[in-house]
């Protein structure tokens, strides 16, 4: 493995004390070990920074960036791109968990397929207690048409990309909560979104118990901003249809949270697992978060 390329994994975090340690452990558990991990504190006020310092002191491949400020996720993602030492950048959120084979599978794909710049994967959905509650298998090709139909087609924290692509395609710091969707659309409009989605779930994505009305409403508001930003690249009918869809989603969010049925949104996105699949997924999750102290 010494001859294999190194990758940069970036985890921005803000008040993630309940989940950050498991995210870091899942990096340490990877079958592919040629990596550096950049932990970026976005002005946390809980014990997240203490956890990050603990693991930085345990492994020399881990480094911490901390300026004490809260500059939001898009800014921190661009910071990781600039700070990355290596030619591949791995996205990861502080409340998610990697499958132990994630780096090995995605990096091998990019090494073989030189014409592809990004690779993402399908995912398992987990709750705040690390219980697997569903899965989302994605196998569609990504086009402008599919992106306009769904902003959930690409699982953002499952992305591995060439640094050269990220340097050409930085995040829009004004697109908070939908910075990934803006990036995919912009790159697609520019003919620069050469991406492949692996149907195998390689990420344990924390949704249940971690989705708030405020987060959803900000996401939809930002999506409206994104459509206005790129309106000259779309027909009037497409823009109108997209905006109607946003208004409908906002109404649904208000209704579901008023009725305490917010879990419906997540169940709708995901499918259930057969008992044997569920057992295997939970075994893989446990392997990813075992202790390394």
């Amino acid at each position: 493995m010494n001859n294999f390329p190194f990758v940069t994994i970036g985890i921005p975090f803000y008040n993630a004390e309940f989940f950050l340690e498991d995210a870091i452990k899942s990096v340490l558990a990877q079958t592919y070990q040629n990596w550096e991990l950049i932990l970026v504190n976005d002005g946390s006020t809980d014990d997240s920074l203490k956890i990050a310092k603990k693991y930085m002191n345990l492994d020399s491949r881990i480094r911490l960036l901390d300026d004490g400020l809260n500059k939001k996720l898009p800014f921190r993602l661009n910071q990781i791109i600039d700070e990355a030492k290596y030619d591949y950048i791995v996205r990861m959120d502080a409340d998610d968990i990697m499958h132990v084979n994630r780096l090995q599978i995605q990096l091998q794909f990019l090494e073989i397929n030189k014409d592809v710049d990004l690779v993402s994967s399908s995912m398992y959905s987990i709750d705040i207690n690390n219980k697997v509650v569903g899965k989302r298998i994605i196998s569609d090709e990504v086009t402008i048409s599919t992106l306009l139909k769904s902003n959930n087609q690409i699982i953002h924290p499952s992305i591995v990309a060439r640094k050269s692509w990220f340097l050409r395609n930085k995040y829009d710091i004004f697109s908070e909560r939908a910075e990934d969707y803006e990036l995919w659309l912009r790159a697609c409009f520019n003919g620069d979104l050469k991406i492949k989605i692996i149907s195998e779930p390689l990420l344990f994505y924390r949704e249940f118990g971690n989705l708030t009305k405020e987060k959803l409403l900000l996401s939809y508001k930002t999506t409206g901003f994104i459509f206005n930003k790129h309106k000259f690249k779309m027909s009037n009918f497409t823009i109108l249809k997209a905006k109607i869809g946003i208004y409908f989603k906002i109404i649904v969010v208000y209704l579901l949270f008023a009725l305490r049925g917010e879990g419906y949104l997540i169940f709708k996105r995901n499918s259930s697992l057969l008992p044997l699949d569920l057992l295997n997924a939970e075994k893989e999750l446990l392997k990813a978060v075992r202790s390394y102290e």
Side-chain angles (χ1 to χ4, degrees):
M1 193 173 289
N2 290 333
N3 295 324
F4 285 25
F6 275 74
V7 301
T8 295
I9 306 163
I11 303 181
F13 63 90
Y14 173 74
N15 289 351
E17 63 180 355
F18 297 114
F19 308 121
L20 179 59
E21 191 159 24
D22 279 349
I24 297 172
K25 284 181 179 179
S26 74
V27 174
L28 294 169
Q30 289 298 296
T31 55
Y32 190 87
Q33 286 287 304
N34 287 2
W35 50 259
E36 68 161 344
L37 172 59
I38 304 177
L39 301 173
V40 187
N41 183 28
D42 193 34
S44 297
T45 57
D46 64 358
D47 282 340
S48 298
L49 184 57
K50 181 179 178 181
I51 293 168
K53 288 180 177 178
K54 167 187 168 182
Y55 281 92
M56 178 185 67
N57 292 328
L58 286 174
D59 196 309
S60 61
R61 295 171 295 177
I62 301 175
R63 55 189 172 113
L64 172 65
L65 304 180
D66 176 34
D67 57 18
L69 302 175
N70 180 237
K71 295 186 176 181
K72 306 300 181 183
L73 182 59
F75 180 92
R76 297 305 182 186
L77 294 176
N78 285 336
Q79 186 178 10
I80 289 168
I81 294 168
D82 292 333
E83 288 281 342
K85 291 180 180 178
Y86 302 114
D87 293 335
Y88 293 100
I89 296 178
V90 181
R91 274 284 293 117
M92 176 74 172
D93 282 338
D95 56 354
D96 296 332
I97 295 169
M98 288 188 186
H99 188 288
V100 294
N101 295 325
R102 179 192 170 187
L103 293 185
Q104 180 179 335
I105 292 172
Q106 291 185 287
L107 183 60
Q108 183 179 34
F109 181 89
L110 288 175
E111 281 284 282
I112 293 173
N113 297 277
K114 299 295 185 180
D115 58 327
V116 177
D117 290 319
L118 309 92
V119 61
S120 67
S121 76
S122 298
M123 46 146 277
Y124 292 113
S125 183
I126 59 175
D127 65 12
I128 58 174
N129 298 310
N130 284 0
K131 180 181 178 182
V132 178
V133 292
K135 65 179 178 180
R136 195 181 310 167
I137 304 300
I138 305 170
S139 57
D140 296 337
E141 293 296 320
V142 179
T143 64
I144 291 176
S145 178
T146 61
L147 284 173
L148 291 174
K149 289 179 181 178
S150 172
N151 59 1
N152 296 312
Q153 186 184 11
I154 303 172
I155 309 300
H156 190 201
S158 77
I159 283 287
V160 178
R162 303 183 194 278
K163 182 178 179 179
S164 57
W165 183 88
F166 266 129
L167 288 172
R168 297 195 305 270
N169 298 279
K170 292 288 190 74
Y171 290 91
D172 178 2
I173 62 172
F174 300 107
S175 295
E176 184 187 358
R177 290 295 306 172
E179 65 282 334
D180 53 333
Y181 186 54
E182 192 282 331
L183 179 58
W184 314 143
L185 272 181
R186 173 164 35 97
C188 205
F189 282 133
N190 293 335
D192 196 15
L193 190 65
K194 298 173 182 176
I195 184 171
K196 173 66 177 178
I197 302 175
I198 296 174
S199 59
E200 181 178 355
L202 297 175
L203 184 76
F204 296 92
Y205 187 54
R206 201 177 303 276
E207 291 184 293
F208 284 81
N210 197 34
L211 194 63
T212 66
K213 180 174 72 174
E214 290 72 24
K215 287 180 179 179
L216 285 168
L217 292 178
L218 178 56
S219 175
Y220 295 145
K221 178 183 178 181
T222 304
T223 302
F225 160 79
I226 291 167
F227 286 135
N228 282 331
K229 176 180 177 180
H230 296 290
K231 62 184 179 181
F232 297 111
K233 300 173 184 177
M234 296 180 282
S235 68
N236 291 333
F237 176 75
T238 298
I239 296 172
L240 177 62
K241 184 179 178 181
K243 288 186 175 181
I244 290 174
I246 292 172
Y247 293 139
F248 176 75
K249 289 178 181 179
I250 289 173
I251 293 171
V252 170
V253 166
Y254 275 111
L255 286 174
L256 286 177
F257 275 85
L259 298 172
R260 297 188 176 182
E262 56 269 25
Y264 169 78
L265 293 173
I266 302 172
F267 278 113
K268 186 179 179 181
R269 294 177 181 176
N270 302 298
S271 58
S272 59
L273 286 83
L274 296 173
L276 182 58
D277 291 336
L278 178 60
L279 180 62
N280 289 333
E282 290 179 342
K283 284 182 178 179
E284 292 299 327
L285 191 151
L286 287 174
K287 285 197 296 186
V289 297
R290 64 185 185 269
S291 178
Y292 282 81
E293 297 178 50

